[in-house]
Amino acid sequence: MDLGVDVPGVEQARHDVCVQISARGDYAVRAALSLAKAHPSLMSAQAIAQDQDMPRKFLEAVLADLRRAGVVRAQRGAEGGYTLSQPPRDVTIGQILRAVDGPLAGVRGMRPEETKYAGAAENLPNLWVAVRSAVREVVDEVSLAELLSGRMPAHVRKLTTRPDAWQPR
């Protein structure tokens, strides 16, 4: 996930601040949901790709990232496949996103707490840290089991009911 920030003198085609879920992140969460539904059984990459209608080659790269991060286990052989390393209730969406994309929020390639500004922008790091914290409040507090069942924490469900929640800005 990237928190994009305009760089003075560099024209960019995005807003000043943008929290973006990458294709890798989206595919990783979708693949993990398929594995959560099948847990503790194994699923082949082909079965996951078909279940989620995604390209197998790209999915295999995502699964490799998830395996390296310890989110999934792989078993080789004719009866092989992938499974979650932990029960779905113990795997958060944040873990999955970090496994494939790294830190949840970055400002020009830095962690929000590493930013420093002078003058009128001296308090900007506080805002960047708050944005990261708000993202964490959602993705680190929703497990695969909760997302699969549709029973997410009340504070997350409440965010989806705000009048402008589903409206683009």
Side-chain angles (χ1 to χ4, degrees):
M1 191 177 307
D2 180 276
L3 182 65
V5 179
D6 286 340
V7 177
V10 177
E11 192 171 316
Q12 296 179 350
R14 60 182 171 191
H15 298 95
D16 287 343
V17 177
C18 176
V19 175
Q20 183 109 4
I21 307 295
S22 71
R24 288 181 82 78
D26 179 59
Y27 279 29
V29 172
R30 290 168 52 204
L33 285 166
S34 289
L35 292 171
K37 188 173 182 180
H39 189 75
S41 299
L42 296 171
M43 278 186 85
S44 69
Q46 182 63 38
I48 298 167
Q50 287 175 334
D51 184 48
Q52 291 298 318
D53 190 28
M54 57 179 71
R56 182 176 169 190
K57 284 288 187 197
F58 190 66
L59 172 63
E60 287 174 346
V62 168
L63 288 167
D65 287 344
L66 292 173
R67 186 185 50 75
R68 279 189 291 276
V71 175
V72 301
R73 285 186 298 111
Q75 182 174 313
R76 294 181 184 253
E79 300 297 316
Y82 295 87
T83 188
L84 294 174
S85 298
Q86 301 174 47
R89 71 178 177 276
D90 296 334
V91 180
T92 68
I93 305 308
Q95 286 175 280
I96 296 163
L97 292 173
R98 284 183 192 92
V100 297
D101 285 336
L104 293 175
V107 180
R108 295 181 296 130
M110 295 183 289
R111 294 180 181 269
E113 71 276 9
E114 295 172 341
T115 61
K116 299 222 182 310
Y117 304 97
E122 71 181 328
N123 294 309
L124 193 52
N126 294 326
L127 179 67
W128 299 152
V129 169
V131 169
R132 178 182 61 191
S133 181
V135 171
R136 285 177 176 172
E137 269 189 64
V138 175
V139 298
D140 286 343
E141 295 184 27
V142 176
S143 72
L144 287 171
E146 290 167 323
L147 189 54
L148 195 58
S149 72
R151 291 189 293 267
M152 293 183 286
H155 73 280
V156 176
R157 281 194 322 271
K158 185 177 178 184
L159 291 170
T160 68
T161 65
R162 290 182 178 170
D164 66 342
W166 296 85
Q167 302 299 317
R169 287 190 187 179

